Amino acid sequence: MTPPDPSEEGPADPIELIATVSHELRSPLTSIKGFTNLLISRWDGIAEDRKLELLEQIRLDADRVTRMLTELLDISRLETGRLHLSPRPVDLAALARSVVEKVALHEADLDATVTFADDVPEVVADADKLEQVLTNLVENAAKYGSPVGLVVEGAVADDGDAVVVAVTDRGEGIPPEDLPRVFERFFRREEGRPTGTGLGLWITRGLVEAHGGTVEATSTVGEGSTFRVTLPLSAPARPPMPS
């Protein structure tokens, strides 16, 4: 079975895509080059703790570049039906805690709680893709909502055939006119600290649907937003490769 089309607006415009990604790549690459040159030219005169700070920033910026390149590949694979999943048992609670710890490395103000019900079983899924999904949702909640009071919850769905993971923030919420558009390609809200390509949530929806799941957003202005991912417990069917 071919995974559901993650978007109804057709293939991404190559020119717009290249322009958007090129703009977003410029900042981390400039940072990597600048800090690397500084370390090379002034190594002996830089304090050890400062060296570690610069190297950590280089690592974080390199991770950012890697993620954007991964997004580019995912766009191509989602639109051509060539997304390959490697299903295996995944402990979602452990994965969620790991994601929060990693996001906290570059979100110093992040104050997040991970709460999973004791009866949540493992799901059979692609762990790397689910990590990408949860990372996108947690980072978006921190950037557009609030990094303080963020909650990641997991529970078994009412029908017992799926697991629901919800990421909730206590930010200003999403205006009703924007809520239907949050999963659209290139859509970025002006609230919060907008960065990135505007493709993260679009890709998130595609990755979740490729697993046979769904993702939805709800929000109350002035109170916060919740992004809810529902994943079936069974392994996703592997789509046939296009001829």
Side-chain angles (χ1 to χ4, degrees):
M1 179 180 70
T2 301
D5 181 2
S7 172
E8 291 78 33
E9 60 258 31
D13 177 11
I15 296 177
E16 183 179 10
L17 183 59
I18 291 171
T20 300
V21 174
S22 297
H23 175 76
E24 293 300 329
L25 284 172
R26 185 176 296 114
S27 177
L29 289 176
T30 299
S31 173
I32 291 170
K33 183 178 179 179
F35 289 147
T36 301
N37 287 340
L38 177 62
L39 287 167
I40 291 173
S41 62
R42 297 180 53 194
W43 181 266
D44 292 335
I46 301 175
E48 292 301 314
D49 57 345
R50 179 57 176 161
K51 289 177 183 176
L52 290 175
E53 289 177 5
L54 294 174
L55 289 170
E56 176 63 15
Q57 187 59 54
I58 290 172
R59 185 183 70 82
L60 291 174
D61 283 327
D63 287 345
R64 182 178 167 192
V65 170
T66 300
R67 284 193 57 200
M68 280 190 276
L69 294 176
T70 299
E71 286 184 348
L72 278 176
L73 290 173
D74 284 337
I75 292 168
S76 173
R77 291 164 179 165
L78 286 168
E79 290 187 334
T80 61
R82 293 179 179 272
L83 182 70
H84 175 73
L85 299 178
S86 300
R88 65 179 187 271
V90 178
D91 183 337
L92 284 174
L95 183 62
R97 286 190 288 267
S98 174
V99 165
V100 168
E101 290 174 359
K102 290 179 181 178
V103 174
L105 293 175
H106 55 86
E107 285 285 351
D109 297 329
L110 185 65
D111 172 25
T113 301
V114 179
T115 304
F116 273 66
D118 293 336
D119 62 344
V120 173
E122 293 181 331
V123 297
V124 179
D126 187 310
D128 291 338
K129 297 305 182 186
L130 291 191
E131 180 178 6
Q132 188 176 344
V133 165
L134 292 179
T135 298
N136 278 338
L137 294 181
V138 171
E139 286 186 342
N140 270 26
K143 286 192 300 183
Y144 293 99
S146 171
V148 179
L150 194 149
V151 178
V152 183
E153 298 176 286
V156 177
D158 292 339
D159 61 10
D161 293 331
V163 171
V164 181
V165 180
V167 178
T168 301
D169 68 69
R170 297 180 181 176
E172 292 301 313
I174 303 171
E177 64 272 18
D178 286 346
L179 192 59
R181 302 186 59 202
V182 294
F183 295 105
E184 289 182 7
R185 188 190 292 117
F186 298 126
F187 178 73
R188 295 196 303 176
R189 292 186 292 125
E190 296 303 319
E191 292 80 3
R193 294 169 288 133
T195 58
T197 60
L199 294 166
L201 287 177
W202 181 82
I203 293 172
T204 292
R205 184 174 70 169
L207 295 179
V208 171
E209 291 180 349
H211 282 84
T214 60
V215 58
E216 61 178 351
T218 56
S219 186
T220 301
V221 174
E223 296 182 11
S225 306
T226 296
F227 284 78
R228 188 172 288 103
V229 174
T230 301
L231 294 166
L233 293 176
S234 58
R238 179 172 298 178
M241 298 296 286
S243 56

